[in-house]
Amino acid sequence: MINQKRHIGIVSRWNRDKQYGFVNSMNNGVSYFLHRSKLDQDVCNGTVVEFEIWNDKEDKDKVFAAKAIVVEMPERYENRKY
């Protein structure tokens, strides 16, 4: 595990069918892989999340977003039916 500092970021390139996408950190500008299993609720592109950065257990150079909490949903999400 690396930096456990909390980051704020915006979800991008979200694939609803595959349940993953990326979160662009507003702290350092880096984009991190994000899986639905690490989220507290469904998201879409533009969702603001608070998250931690962790190392992959098998590939120490690979980092990903973990323990992500939705901070704000885009307005357009409220009216969508999935």
Side-chain angles (χ1 to χ4, degrees):
M1 168 174 44
I2 63 169
N3 182 7
Q4 276 199 7
K5 179 182 174 193
R6 303 295 285 177
H7 288 251
I8 298 291
I10 299 173
V11 174
S12 66
R13 297 182 281 158
W14 186 255
N15 184 319
R16 189 180 57 164
D17 294 330
K18 295 184 179 178
Q19 296 292 296
Y20 71 84
F22 297 86
V23 58
N24 300 318
S25 174
M26 297 167 93
N27 296 56
N28 62 14
V30 176
S31 184
Y32 297 97
F33 178 80
L34 177 65
H35 191 270
R36 171 63 179 94
S37 64
K38 304 300 181 187
L39 290 157
D40 65 336
Q41 67 185 64
D42 288 334
V43 297
C44 66
N45 288 328
T47 302
V48 177
V49 294
E50 182 179 355
F51 66 99
E52 294 178 0
I53 301 169
W54 293 67
N55 281 98
D56 185 281
K57 289 179 184 175
E58 294 158 11
D59 182 355
K60 299 300 180 194
D61 293 328
K62 185 177 179 182
V63 294
F64 61 93
K67 294 187 179 181
I69 301 167
V70 172
V71 175
E72 181 181 343
M73 295 296 291
E75 240 179 75
R76 65 185 183 277
Y77 184 81
E78 302 299 324
N79 299 322
R80 287 187 180 178
K81 293 182 181 178
Y82 290 101

